């Protein structure tokens, strides 16, 4: 059955809103005001930052400004992977030493448990299942990369990580043709919208003011400018991730990379029996244009990957609508992994953008001269990374305002890391589309050969991307 039948809901923000419903927006910003801290962006980064700042210093007047509603962007559209990946770790090891990068990795490992802890403390039922992360290899070249990746993670201190052969992998999940896998306990599946909604409620209960339907058009020292007036505050924190390019002067700061997802209809007990996946691990692969998936709490498979990777001029999508060709491509990944699901309907398809810095490194910054701060550039690993970034922003603000001194988090290597801007158009569009076309060609080549060497095409794409 085609995935583009009339039964497939396309867009509507994301599948996660199909059951929860689009929320009634909070009141927009009424006019000029002041605060101690103004946070631009009502996704995970902004809400976690407000949460931790208010918990640490209840007297702070904190205002969150959100252009649509909390969770409209990546926080309400992602794959629900709460895991310990952090963009840029290897580059930070080169710049600051391996132990510095290892400290960042240990902090990320701990962050998975921190999110689960706070969700429990605040009564946020986000369908969290702490089953870890399983990454599989489907070709000899992928298997070689998987083994190298596994050893690298163990080298950064992941002693609990497990490398499995084909038979051992099939005991966890029966992915067709899987040659091996690597599993870490530092990961969990969750429902993104339930988390972001619960977090917004918790933040408001602490006394933080949230204004929705309030686009910020410009950020400058001590000012967040909206069409309805300006919020003045000593600290203005930009937490806009993939939507950063819409701000004045930020068009080339972080590239809004597009990622797309599908969710199947609920599977039958017999279908789940044929697949396995009883551990409900989040699932990924070692392809260059990788996929990511989860087994949802209501018995579906939600699966994502690259579709149209980038829109000219750093434009973002229209409420998540996804091209038919992208839906078919994602369905092709689903049936390649699980051929027995060839007749399963795709119930929903959607897209969103994530923030990609030019050097693919996530960063947290506070400019002490201006009071401007920001965090993001998570390159798709933001569900957990946003939490660590928010706690780091909290510590930076408290240090700058003399409420505390330096902390372990303020000494992490991603703090105040400087990134050059992306190239102007049309070079930006040509480079990104060429990069992903090359990665896709590399994956196709590796599917047709038994070589354990990664395709030379992928190494070319890595150089274009700035990853090598």
């Amino acid at each position: 059955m085609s995935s583009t039948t009339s039964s497939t809901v396309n867009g509507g923000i994301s599948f996660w809103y199909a059951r929860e419903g689009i929320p009634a927006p909070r009141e927009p910003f009424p006019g000029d005001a002041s605060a101690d801290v103004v946070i631009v962006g009502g996704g995970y980064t902004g809400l976690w930052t407000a949460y931790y700042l208010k918990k640490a210093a209840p007297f702070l007047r904190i205002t969150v400004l959100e252009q649509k509603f909390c969770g409209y962007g990546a926080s309400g559209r992602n794959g629900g992977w709460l895991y310990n990946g952090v963009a840029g770790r290897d580059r930070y090891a080169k710049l600051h030493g391996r132990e510095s990068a290892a400290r960042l990795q240990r902090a990320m490992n701990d962050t998975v448990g921190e999110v689960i802890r706070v969700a429990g403390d605040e009564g946020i039922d986000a369908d969290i299942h702490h089953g870890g992360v399983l990454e599989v290899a489907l070709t000899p070249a992928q298997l070689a990369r998987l083994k190298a990746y596994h050893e690298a993670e163990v080298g950064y201190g992941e002693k609990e990580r497990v490398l499995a052969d084909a038979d051992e992998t099939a005991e966890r999940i029966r992915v067709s043709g899987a040659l091996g896998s690597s599993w870490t306990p530092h990961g969990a599946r969750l429902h993104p919208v339930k988390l972001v909604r619960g977090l917004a409620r918790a933040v408001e209960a602490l006394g933080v003011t949230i204004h929705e339907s309030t686009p910020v058009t410009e950020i400058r020292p001590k000012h967040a400018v909206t069409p309805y007036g300006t919020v003045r505050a000593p600290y203005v924190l930009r937490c806009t991730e993939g939507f950063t390019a819409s701000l004045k002067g930020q068009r080339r700061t972080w590239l809004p990379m597009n990622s797309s997802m599908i969710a199947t209809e609920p599977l039958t007990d017999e279908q789940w029996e044929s697949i396995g996946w009883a551990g409900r691990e989040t699932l990924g692969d070692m392809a260059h244009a990788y996929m990511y998936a989860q087994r949802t709490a209501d018995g579906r498979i939600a699966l994502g990957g690259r579709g149209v990777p980038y829109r000219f001029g750093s434009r973002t999508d229209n409420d998540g609508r996804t091209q038919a060709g992208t839906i078919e491509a994602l369905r092709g990944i689903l049936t390649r992994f699980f051929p027995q699901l060839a007749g399963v309907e795709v119930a929903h398809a959607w897209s969103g953008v994530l923030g990609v810095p030019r050097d693919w490194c996530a960063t947290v910054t506070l400019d002490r001269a201006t009071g401007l701060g920001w965090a993001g550039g998570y390159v798709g690993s933001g569900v957990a990374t946003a939490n660590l970034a928010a706690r780091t922003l909290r510590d930076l603000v408290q240090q700058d305002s003399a409420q505390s001194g330096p902390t372990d988090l303020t000494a992490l290597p991603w703090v105040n890391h400087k990134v050059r801007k992306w190239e102007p158009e049309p070079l930006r569009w040509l480079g990104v589309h060429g990069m992903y076309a090359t990665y896709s060609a590399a994956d196709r080549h590796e599917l047709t050969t038994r070589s354990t060497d990664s395709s030379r095409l992928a190494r070319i794409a890595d150089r274009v991307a700035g990853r090598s």
Side-chain angles (χ1 to χ4, degrees):
M1 181 178 296
S2 171
S3 65
T4 53
T5 63
S6 60
S7 62
T8 299
V9 178
N10 190 346
I13 314 300
S14 73
F15 161 74
W16 310 115
Y17 283 108
R19 300 292 292 273
E20 296 297 301
I22 303 299
R26 295 169 173 85
E27 289 297 316
F29 181 53
D32 290 345
S34 62
D36 297 310
V37 180
V38 59
I39 295 170
V40 181
Y44 290 147
T45 305
L47 293 174
W48 278 124
T49 302
Y51 177 85
Y52 286 113
L53 271 171
K54 194 68 172 176
K55 292 283 277 190
F59 58 84
L60 286 176
R61 297 172 302 144
I62 302 173
T63 297
V64 176
L65 303 176
E66 164 56 42
Q67 69 165 337
K68 295 280 191 175
F69 55 82
C70 291
Y72 174 80
S75 299
R77 309 191 199 191
N78 63 79
W81 272 48
L82 176 70
Y83 87 118
N84 67 335
V86 57
R89 184 193 63 190
D90 292 342
R91 186 179 294 272
Y92 288 130
K94 293 178 181 177
L95 292 173
H96 302 281
R98 186 175 181 83
E99 175 52 32
S100 184
R103 287 191 290 107
L104 178 60
Q105 185 60 67
R106 289 193 294 269
M108 278 304 309
N109 296 348
D110 294 342
T111 295
V112 173
E114 170 68 7
V115 173
I116 295 172
R117 179 193 69 79
V118 174
D121 289 350
E122 297 294 344
I124 301 172
D125 181 3
D127 295 340
I128 297 173
H129 182 84
H130 196 173
V133 182
L134 184 71
E135 285 157 303
V136 299
L138 302 183
T139 69
Q142 285 190 28
L143 184 61
R145 288 198 297 275
L146 177 84
K147 291 178 177 177
Y149 165 74
H150 177 90
E151 291 304 315
E153 299 307 298
V154 171
Y156 276 104
E158 275 205 61
K159 304 305 182 186
E160 314 97 326
R161 183 171 280 273
V162 176
L163 184 67
D165 62 19
D167 291 339
E168 293 165 332
T169 299
E171 291 176 6
R172 284 187 181 271
I173 185 170
R174 287 180 281 280
V175 173
S176 179
L179 302 178
S181 63
S182 180
W183 175 83
T184 176
H186 298 299
R189 173 214 73 191
L190 56 75
H191 188 301
V193 166
K194 289 183 178 180
L195 177 61
V196 76
R197 282 186 166 181
L199 186 56
R201 288 193 298 268
V203 163
E204 284 188 310
L206 291 173
V208 172
T209 300
I210 301 175
H211 292 298
E212 296 181 325
S213 302
T214 304
V216 172
T217 56
E218 182 182 1
I219 293 173
R220 59 178 187 263
K222 299 180 173 53
H223 295 76
V225 181
T226 82
Y228 316 119
T230 299
V231 182
R232 292 170 175 81
Y235 298 100
V236 182
L237 307 180
R238 189 186 81 222
C239 303
T240 48
E241 189 56 352
F243 290 84
T244 299
S246 64
L247 292 165
K248 182 178 180 180
Q250 303 295 332
R251 180 60 59 88
R252 292 164 53 197
T253 298
W254 290 334
L255 185 138
M257 186 76 75
N258 198 58
S259 195
S260 300
M261 294 196 69
I262 58 172
T264 69
E265 63 183 341
L267 303 187
T268 65
D269 291 344
E270 292 77 14
Q271 287 168 326
W272 281 121
E273 179 65 26
S274 73
I275 291 171
W277 211 348
R280 291 167 171 77
E281 306 90 343
T282 56
L283 176 67
D285 70 357
M286 298 303 294
H288 301 291
Y290 55 85
M291 59 78 70
Y292 51 95
Q294 67 149 284
R295 177 175 175 171
T296 69
D298 63 348
R300 307 167 190 263
I301 294 176
L303 180 149
R306 292 288 176 266
V308 177
Y310 171 72
R311 292 176 171 84
F312 191 89
S314 293
R315 294 194 303 272
T316 54
D317 65 85
N318 181 26
D319 288 350
R321 281 197 62 83
T322 300
Q323 291 187 345
T326 297
I327 301 174
E328 292 297 338
L330 293 174
R331 182 179 177 82
I333 295 173
L334 175 71
T335 56
R336 186 165 73 245
F337 274 56
F338 308 113
Q340 64 270 46
L341 301 184
V344 169
E345 285 192 23
V346 170
H348 208 118
W350 71 100
S351 296
V353 293
L354 49 100
V356 180
R358 188 62 184 88
D359 65 357
W360 300 72
C361 289
T363 56
V364 183
T365 295
L366 180 67
D367 185 339
R368 303 185 71 171
T370 63
L372 297 178
W374 57 88
Y378 305 132
V379 195
S381 300
V383 179
T385 314
N387 177 277
L388 178 60
R391 286 183 282 131
T392 307
L393 272 177
R394 171 203 60 194
D395 288 3
L396 289 168
V397 169
Q398 288 206 287
Q399 179 184 352
D400 185 70
S401 58
Q403 296 174 43
S404 70
T407 68
D408 290 343
L409 297 186
T410 61
L412 291 174
W414 67 344
V415 172
N416 295 330
H417 174 73
K418 291 181 172 54
V419 183
R420 69 182 176 91
K421 292 184 179 293
W422 283 86
E423 291 78 2
E425 298 290 20
L427 296 177
R428 191 158 73 248
W429 187 92
L430 291 169
V432 174
H433 279 262
M435 174 184 68
Y436 272 99
T438 306
Y439 279 138
S440 296
D443 286 329
R444 290 193 299 271
H445 173 75
E446 290 178 4
L447 285 169
T448 64
T449 179
R450 305 305 297 173
S451 173
T452 60
D453 294 331
S454 293
S455 170
R456 293 177 60 188
L457 291 170
R459 293 195 289 273
I460 293 170
D462 283 344
R463 286 196 292 273
V464 171
R467 287 171 162 172
S468 61

